[in-house]
Amino acid sequence: MAEKKKINVGMIGHKFMGRLHNHAYTNVEAAFDIQSRPVKKVLCGIGDDVPETAKRWGWEEWSNDWEAVVARDDIDLIDIVAPSKLHKEIAIAAAEAGKHVFCEKPLAMNLQDAKEMVHAVQKASVVNTIGFNYRKTPAISLAKKLIDDGRLGRIFHFRGLYSQDWLVDPEFPLAWRLRESEAGAGSSWDLGAHVVDLARFLVGEIDEVIGSQMTFIKERPVAKIEDGLTAIAGDEMGIVDVDDATSFLAKFEAGAMGLFEMTRYGTGHKNENRIEIYGSKGGIIWPGFENQNQLYFYDAEDPDGERGFRRIQIGEGSHPYSSGWWPVGHNIGFGETFVHEVYDLLTAIDHKAEVSPSFVDGYKCQEILAAVDQSIAARSWVKVSEVGNL
Ligand code: SOE
């Protein structure tokens, strides 16, 4: 058998999202039939723990200097899992060096930066994708298929609720996701980016929005040590300058209504990303990521007397991505959605094709979130088309 082509990866970042992307590169070949295999070439990060992490995760080399990694001739793909404020510089440098780019969400710190990133990958003709991993859960892919096949008819409602509760504790420190200078925004971009992407993916483009947001706890201990989603409080206090929770209403171009809520104060929920969609012929409920392997489907065309929401167990049938995993009922988790992202990315590199989602999707998502920010400032509806232009 001919040896597989190799795709050498340089990954910038080695914390929470780094762990997940590492998991994806490690497992993709065992799960799916891929033509080219990823080689975990260089792991790059800041801190004394980079060499040890690189060794433990099985990377060939480590580095503290992302520019040197991007400049290497033997790297084909740059994977950006560093905080949001670093995305633009790394992605543009990578594209200009002719590397394919995988960037975590949100794409950038503002729309102008996001636009420059899109232009850079387009000019360089490199394959580009953004980490909207919830698109890659089999249940969401199945929901997309049902909608595309017309099983819901005309869509009237989209509801997306993303609830986590890690900020209910007032002692939780000001980690980077709570600092505007590094994250750009709070729940609105961190969680909202996923919900808005699912809305666009499943229902289509949004025409206008009106939002509201709050920061419930305005001062927190400054983080002494932080690592991904965990942090240890120091003695000083600092001001929280991002939103704790954001909600907004939307009107879709195709005439549906949207209701969105993102919060880090959804007490009891650790990572619940729930979707409901209702149309003239049926309804869909994704009960949330904590039960990601189920999809509820109501078919209004079922026979009289038999109608009701049916619970579809993912893997019971030929659901997207399920062929890579365990028997039905033996359920996949968070890590597998990242394997699906990498599988789609490697396949696109092999076929010189576009990946869904791309940097353009990252830009469009950010345009909607910027329109929400503007609507909050103006206390009125804002048209998405008046906020950006690509
Ligand atoms: C923290 O809110 C976080 O890790 C997000 O940054 C991710 O995008 C989300 O998938 C899970 O929660």
Side-chain angles (χ1 to χ4, degrees):
M1 207 165 78
E3 233 204 287
K4 282 189 178 170
K5 218 178 93 200
K6 291 177 181 160
I7 296 182
N8 289 336
V9 186
M11 189 162 86
I12 320 293
H14 70 304
K15 299 294 182 185
F16 176 37
M17 282 299 133
R19 196 138 63 93
L20 287 151
H21 287 226
N22 172 68
H23 169 82
Y25 294 115
T26 307
N27 290 296
V28 67
E29 199 182 358
F32 297 105
D33 187 16
I34 47 173
Q35 285 175 25
S36 305
R37 68 151 54 108
V39 176
K40 300 198 293 184
K41 204 78 188 165
V42 195
L43 179 67
C44 178
I46 308 290
D48 298 341
D49 58 340
V50 182
E52 166 59 22
T53 307
K55 191 169 162 214
R56 197 153 42 87
W57 290 358
W59 288 73
E60 289 182 10
E61 297 170 50
W62 65 271
S63 168
N64 291 136
D65 178 357
W66 69 260
E67 283 169 296
V69 177
V70 167
R72 282 175 59 149
D73 288 340
D74 61 346
I75 296 291
D76 304 303
L77 166 65
I78 291 290
D79 185 319
I80 307 168
V81 280
S84 315
K85 73 165 182 191
L86 299 170
H87 290 181
K88 175 191 171 187
E89 208 185 341
I90 303 173
I92 292 181
E96 285 174 351
K99 319 292 185 201
H100 306 299
V101 196
F102 180 6
C103 185
E104 259 306 327
K105 43 56 64 177
L107 193 57
M109 297 290 282
N110 56 57
L111 262 189
Q112 179 56 32
D113 286 0
K115 184 169 167 173
E116 288 173 35
M117 290 165 77
V118 170
H119 289 169
V121 291
Q122 286 178 339
K123 187 165 170 220
S125 296
V126 291
V127 176
N128 54 94
T129 189
I130 176 163
F132 292 139
N133 60 305
Y134 298 100
R135 271 194 192 204
K136 310 285 175 179
T137 56
I140 291 293
S141 304
L142 174 63
K144 166 89 173 146
K145 184 172 182 312
L146 290 168
I147 292 169
D148 288 352
D149 289 349
R151 301 289 298 278
L152 265 65
R154 177 184 162 193
I155 308 258
F156 301 123
H157 290 285
F158 171 91
R159 296 180 190 153
L161 303 176
Y162 200 150
S163 312
Q164 298 181 340
D165 70 358
W166 51 290
L167 290 191
V168 173
D169 174 6
E171 297 305 318
F172 187 90
L174 263 175
W176 77 264
R177 280 180 171 78
L178 283 91
R179 297 196 289 267
E180 192 192 7
S181 58
E182 279 165 272
S187 67
S188 142
W189 292 14
D190 185 35
L191 307 180
H194 287 303
V195 190
V196 166
D197 181 63
L198 291 180
R200 289 188 59 249
F201 182 56
L202 296 169
V203 178
E205 296 302 340
I206 289 174
D207 181 31
E208 52 183 338
V209 293
I210 184 165
S212 133
Q213 63 186 196
M214 281 195 188
T215 302
F216 302 114
I217 295 178
K218 298 190 168 54
E219 270 193 274
R220 288 181 174 272
V222 172
K224 187 166 64 179
I225 298 176
E226 52 181 296
D227 186 348
L229 270 191
T230 49
I232 297 176
D235 299 329
E236 276 174 53
M237 296 296 279
I239 303 291
V240 180
D241 57 2
V242 298
D243 60 290
D244 280 337
T246 295
S247 55
F248 69 94
L249 300 177
K251 293 176 195 160
F252 286 82
E253 286 180 0
M257 290 174 77
L259 177 67
F260 296 70
E261 185 184 81
M262 288 68 68
T263 182
R264 291 162 167 171
Y265 287 70
T267 307
H269 290 300
K270 305 305 161 191
N271 196 37
E272 192 70 324
N273 182 358
R274 178 184 171 95
I275 301 294
E276 298 180 16
I277 304 175
Y278 302 106
S280 55
K281 291 206 229 160
I284 277 175
I285 298 174
W286 187 45
F289 192 74
E290 291 169 358
N291 288 294
Q292 67 141 322
N293 291 292
Q294 297 174 358
L295 187 75
Y296 289 83
F297 174 47
Y298 178 94
D299 188 341
E301 294 181 344
D302 277 349
D304 181 31
E306 292 177 21
R307 287 191 284 272
F309 275 97
R310 63 184 82 148
R311 180 172 64 81
I312 302 172
Q313 180 68 34
I314 291 304
E316 180 78 68
S318 54
H319 295 143
Y321 303 112
S322 293
S323 65
W325 303 113
W326 333 121
V328 58
H330 294 67
N331 294 349
I332 60 165
F334 192 48
E336 281 80 358
T337 64
F338 291 81
V339 180
H340 302 162
E341 288 185 300
V342 163
Y343 168 53
D344 288 345
L345 170 61
L346 297 176
T347 307
I349 293 175
D350 274 331
H351 294 94
K352 297 187 177 35
E354 289 196 1
V355 198
S356 166
S358 66
F359 273 26
V360 171
D361 292 299
Y363 176 88
K364 290 195 167 167
C365 170
Q366 201 139 0
E367 198 175 54
I368 294 162
L369 294 170
V372 171
D373 290 344
Q374 282 192 18
S375 79
I376 293 167
R379 301 172 74 89
S380 62
W381 285 90
V382 168
K383 285 242 173 228
V384 176
S385 58
E386 287 167 13
V387 170
N389 66 63
L390 198 54

